Amino acid sequence: MNETIVCTVGNVATQPVHRELPSGASARFRLAVTSRYWDRERNAWTDGHTNFFTVWANRQLAGNAVASLNVGDPVIVQGRLKVRTETRDGTSRTWADIDALAIGHDLARGTTAFRRTVRTEPQPVGSPPRPEPTWETPSPDAPSPDALSPQRPDPTAAVTA
């Protein structure tokens, strides 16, 4: 299926609204994206046209967006572009929505402090928790993991009594 994926840079225009739906958490907010260009006559940057998008976030992204975003925050949003057109009383209106895949603060315009959320995934009953993998790179002079494990006897070797 062909989808239009967009990446927009703009400012949060409305406070994110959170809703719990039967399908899971959902949040939405308006994003203002203003083009800027260099005006040679005035020798200065000038604001161009502003486009407004309704950004929709689902599940974990919805909760994180509500907890992290405020009006005026500079953000980068990547997601699927959805254009809706509606006609009422002979007047046609068009909206552009973005189903967000990722949302983040624009670090070119400020700083932020990232806090990882704890996922609460249900564990199957009776199954032990999965061990955390070892991510560290061993030092060159450290013994190999095989050297630390006890040697198992070779089952094909002859037994001497």
Side-chain angles (χ1 to χ4, degrees), residues 52-142:
F52 287 91
F53 299 93
T54 300
V55 177
W56 295 89
N58 296 303
R59 295 174 293 283
Q60 187 69 40
L61 183 58
N64 291 343
V66 169
S68 302
L69 301 179
N70 293 299
V71 173
D73 284 355
V75 293
I76 300 171
V77 176
Q78 180 186 23
R80 296 177 199 93
L81 179 65
K82 309 280 181 159
V83 179
R84 300 179 291 128
T85 303
E86 182 179 303
T87 303
R88 280 192 194 165
D89 303 327
T91 304
S92 179
R93 293 192 55 175
T94 302
W95 292 270
D97 296 347
I98 299 174
D99 288 337
L101 300 171
I103 302 170
H105 285 109
D106 184 357
L107 297 181
R109 296 166 53 201
T111 63
T112 190
F114 180 79
R115 289 181 307 277
R116 188 173 303 278
T117 57
V118 178
R119 298 176 89 184
T120 55
E121 295 180 13
Q123 290 285 333
V125 177
S127 68
R130 294 187 313 191
E132 182 70 23
T134 304
W135 297 105
E136 293 84 21
T137 303
S139 64
D141 57 334

Side-chain angles (χ1 to χ4, degrees), residues 19-79:
R19 294 215 172 106
E20 283 295 331
L21 303 173
S23 60
S26 179
R28 67 175 164 79
F29 64 93
R30 297 282 285 165
L31 177 68
V33 178
T34 303
S35 65
R36 291 182 54 87
Y37 64 94
W38 182 256
D39 188 346
R40 291 181 184 174
E41 292 176 6
R42 296 191 333 198
N43 203 26
W45 286 98
T46 304
D47 287 342
H49 178 74
T50 300
N51 291 306
F52 287 91
F53 299 93
T54 300
V55 177
W56 295 89
N58 296 303
R59 295 174 293 283
Q60 187 69 40
L61 183 58
N64 291 343
V66 169
S68 302
L69 301 179
N70 293 299
V71 173
D73 284 355
V75 293
I76 300 171
V77 176
Q78 180 186 23

